[in-house]
Amino acid sequence: MQLEADSDALDHHRIYRMEVERDLLGDVIVIIAHGRRGSRLAARSIHVPDLSAAQEFVRSRLRRRATAPRRIGCSYRITALDTLDDPTPYLLDPAAQRRMEQE
């Protein structure tokens, strides 16, 4: 899943990418990469106990991105869902999703 926040007026061109994968041992990991578009993204891997914990972790990060208009002055929008087979369990509830898209 990839999110982008763009504002020419504020000079914000940010990318936030999350991927849920399994490592070689079968453990679930969430890979997060973020930074300014056009530069090298900072990346980190977070091990989670199971798939449901990964889904809740991704939703918590989406809730944080939804507060971007208040924090950085422009909102994030989802630009790619191709990293997930079925993105539905990872997304926010419909009301929160609408708020994120309106801001």
Side-chain angles (χ1 to χ4, degrees):
M1 173 182 302
Q2 180 170 305
L3 302 130
E4 294 183 15
D6 288 308
S7 172
D8 289 332
L10 298 170
D11 195 28
H12 290 315
H13 305 285
R14 299 179 181 189
I15 294 176
Y16 195 87
R17 185 178 301 142
M18 294 181 282
E19 298 178 22
V20 177
E21 298 180 355
R22 290 195 180 269
D23 64 9
L24 292 174
L25 302 174
D27 296 332
V28 178
I29 57 172
V30 179
I31 301 169
I32 297 176
H34 59 90
R36 186 173 173 86
R37 184 182 306 130
S39 66
R40 181 179 222 175
L41 300 179
R44 61 187 168 162
S45 300
I46 294 98
H47 289 270
V48 292
D50 55 18
L51 196 55
S52 64
Q55 292 168 352
E56 181 53 39
F57 182 81
V58 169
R59 282 193 298 269
S60 73
R61 297 301 182 195
L62 285 175
R63 282 191 293 274
R64 175 71 173 164
R65 302 286 78 77
T67 65
R70 184 179 70 238
R71 292 181 299 109
I72 65 172
C74 62
S75 62
Y76 279 90
R77 68 185 188 295
I78 297 173
T79 58
L81 289 173
D82 56 340
T83 58
L84 300 172
D85 293 332
D86 179 19
T88 308
Y90 297 92
L91 298 177
L92 297 173
D93 62 89
Q97 188 67 32
R98 281 192 301 275
R99 283 194 306 274
M100 184 174 175
E101 291 169 359
Q102 290 173 354
E103 295 178 349

